Amino acid sequence: MEIKITRTTSPRPKPEDPTKLGFGTVFTDHMFVMDYDEGQGWHDAEIVPLADLAIHPGAAVFHYGAEVFEGLKAYRTDGGSVQLFRPADNMQRMRDSAERIQLPDFDADFLLSAILKLVELDQDWVPDVPSASLYIRPFEFCTDIDLGLHSIAHAKMMVILSPVGSYLSGGLKPVDILIEDNDVRAVRGGTGYAKCGGNYAAANRAAAKAEQKGFQQVLWLDGVHRQYIEEVGGMNVMFKIGGKIVTPALTGSVLPGITRRSCIQLLKDKGYEVEERLISVEEVMSALEKGEMEEAWGCGTAAVISPIGSFAYQDRQLVVNDRQIGSCAQDLYDTLTGIQWGRREDSYGWIVKVPRN
Ligand SMILES: *Cc1c(COP(=O)(O)O)cnc(C)c1O
């Protein structure tokens, strides 16, 4: 399919001070759009000036949450070129997410080529200051005008771009975590492994409660026993206990993070033993009490690595590693960001270059 390109005639000014960028509030000049109609398939792939959408208020996305999304970044190297990190993995995961919600499937290579074109067109928006990048947000949603519950016949695929600073304003500062013992984010058999908006809506109440109590993130427990660790906020979680790395297994309710996958590979290659298994909240609290918990961190595209400074569960709060960044988390952060920003050799084939125009 051809991608029709309509350039903006009124480009907007770039952020004045890219060192002060927040996350996801500034957008570039263009966006990608394509439509799906049953019988016709995907059609009218276009890059157009970023603009508001006109969508019928009866569209199913507003009522039944039929939406999936992805998140990846474009990084500017010291030499000035622009590159992506494992983008094919994001495309595949988006297909898996769409399948779970029964949104129409799409050609992953085509969507990736559209993203490369869009980033190429808006490449001047990729910040050139440390830790800043261009966040890429592909999303797909149902546009059926129908309040009845039917299979999806119409959908829209879009990609928007947002120059972002480092996700957590404190940088690599360890965060305080509240272990949520009532609300759950996802259940096995549900949509936990899919990157869909509904999972985030389910997380809002616990996140608000944690924030009110002065915590930065929620640690989610499994939906059946409320006993096994799943994720921390919108990130996967890893622990270093007695020299080994332990991370929750992908049981269906945990999002299969690409940062998680990359960390596991890097850790194994650095000689660590990595266990993907069930981890109970008791195991975590008792490892903390006994001083066996050496490090804990969250990992995801937005923050890369987010060290954890303390865990609070019911009426106990225990500190990790004196609230200091551990050497393992620091090493992972340096290696991953080194590869992403092109400062380190990519011996894994994870980097995809954006062509220069
Ligand atoms: C996106 C996401 C992650 C991290 O995935 P990455 O591919 O590493 O960015 C983890 N958990 C949740 C719930 C997510 O939505």
Side-chain angles (χ1 to χ4, degrees):
M1 197 181 351
E2 279 277 313
I3 300 174
K4 185 178 158 206
I5 298 178
T6 309
R7 283 168 185 265
T8 182
T9 50
S10 47
R12 279 164 307 110
K14 311 281 182 299
E16 235 160 67
D17 185 354
T19 62
K20 295 212 165 64
L21 280 167
F23 195 90
T25 52
V26 175
F27 295 90
T28 67
D29 284 324
H30 299 91
M31 62 184 186
F32 171 79
V33 194
M34 76 176 166
D35 290 311
Y36 176 92
D37 294 293
E38 202 171 55
Q40 193 181 359
W42 289 105
H43 61 89
D44 286 299
E46 279 194 83
I47 290 173
V48 292
L50 183 87
D52 292 355
L53 301 175
I55 297 179
H56 193 286
V61 61
F62 298 127
H63 307 280
Y64 306 125
E67 186 262 0
V68 299
F69 66 96
E70 268 304 326
L72 64 160
K73 286 171 168 175
Y75 307 87
R76 189 176 296 284
T77 67
D78 291 340
S81 63
V82 175
Q83 56 189 33
L84 311 185
F85 181 76
R86 310 190 77 170
D89 291 29
N90 293 92
M91 299 301 100
Q92 182 53 49
R93 185 171 63 191
M94 193 169 177
R95 290 185 64 203
D96 297 341
S97 299
E99 194 280 334
R100 179 64 185 81
I101 314 287
Q102 292 291 285
L103 277 162
D105 195 9
F106 56 89
D107 181 336
D109 292 336
F110 177 75
L111 185 61
L112 180 52
S113 72
I115 288 172
L116 288 167
K117 270 213 172 72
L118 181 64
V119 174
E120 183 192 350
L121 190 64
D122 278 344
Q123 62 179 280
D124 292 347
W125 287 86
V126 184
D128 59 358
V129 297
S131 313
S133 56
L134 184 70
Y135 189 74
I136 304 169
R137 166 55 58 86
F139 56 112
E140 179 185 359
F141 56 94
C142 173
T143 52
D144 290 23
I145 301 164
D146 185 354
L147 300 182
L149 292 167
H150 302 292
S151 65
I152 293 171
H154 307 279
K156 227 182 222 326
M157 173 76 77
M158 301 189 62
V159 183
I160 53 176
L161 307 175
S162 169
V164 298
S166 85
Y167 185 63
L168 302 162
S169 44
L172 259 193
K173 212 173 110 221
V175 293
D176 296 308
I177 301 294
L178 179 63
I179 302 180
E180 171 60 40
D181 63 359
N182 183 66
D183 287 4
V184 299
R185 178 192 159 267
V187 294
R188 204 172 306 177
T191 56
Y193 73 87
K195 219 167 166 72
C196 64
N199 291 339
Y200 280 76
N204 281 346
R205 185 170 65 180
K209 185 179 93 184
E211 194 182 319
Q212 245 168 35
K213 293 184 167 182
F215 296 91
Q216 281 97 32
Q217 299 276 346
V218 167
L219 188 91
W220 299 106
L221 300 179
D222 76 280
V224 178
H225 310 278
R226 291 196 184 107
Q227 207 188 109
Y228 298 102
I229 308 291
E230 301 231 306
E231 301 199 49
V232 57
M235 290 179 284
N236 295 112
V237 64
M238 296 188 169
F239 304 94
K240 182 160 175 261
I241 306 175
K244 276 191 226 169
I245 310 297
V246 188
T247 190
L250 299 177
T251 50
S253 47
V254 172
L255 199 289
I258 295 160
T259 318
R260 173 189 183 277
R261 188 180 305 161
S262 307
C263 284
I264 290 172
Q265 174 93 57
L266 290 170
L267 288 162
K268 285 183 173 166
D269 293 351
K270 287 171 195 289
Y272 287 101
E273 198 174 318
V274 183
E275 293 178 352
E276 296 178 62
R277 60 168 171 84
L278 294 180
I279 310 155
S280 68
V281 63
E282 287 90 86
E283 178 181 350
V284 167
M285 295 309 275
S286 112
L288 282 162
E289 268 172 349
K290 291 191 210 140
E292 290 166 0
M293 175 78 73
E294 296 160 47
E295 295 183 43
W297 63 86
C299 60
T301 296
V304 193
I305 299 289
S306 175
I308 294 172
S310 72
F311 289 100
Y313 181 56
Q314 294 169 347
D315 45 19
R316 285 188 293 171
Q317 184 174 14
L318 298 172
V319 164
V320 188
N321 194 31
D322 282 333
R323 293 182 192 274
Q324 302 301 307
I325 304 161
S327 56
C328 193
Q330 183 72 55
D331 186 22
L332 275 177
Y333 180 83
D334 293 341
T335 309
L336 274 173
T337 56
I339 295 172
Q340 289 164 340
W341 270 272
R343 295 185 298 262
R344 291 202 186 188
E345 193 201 337
D346 165 31
S347 53
Y348 298 96
W350 287 343
I351 293 299
V352 172
K353 294 265 177 202
V354 175
R356 271 173 202 266
N357 60 13

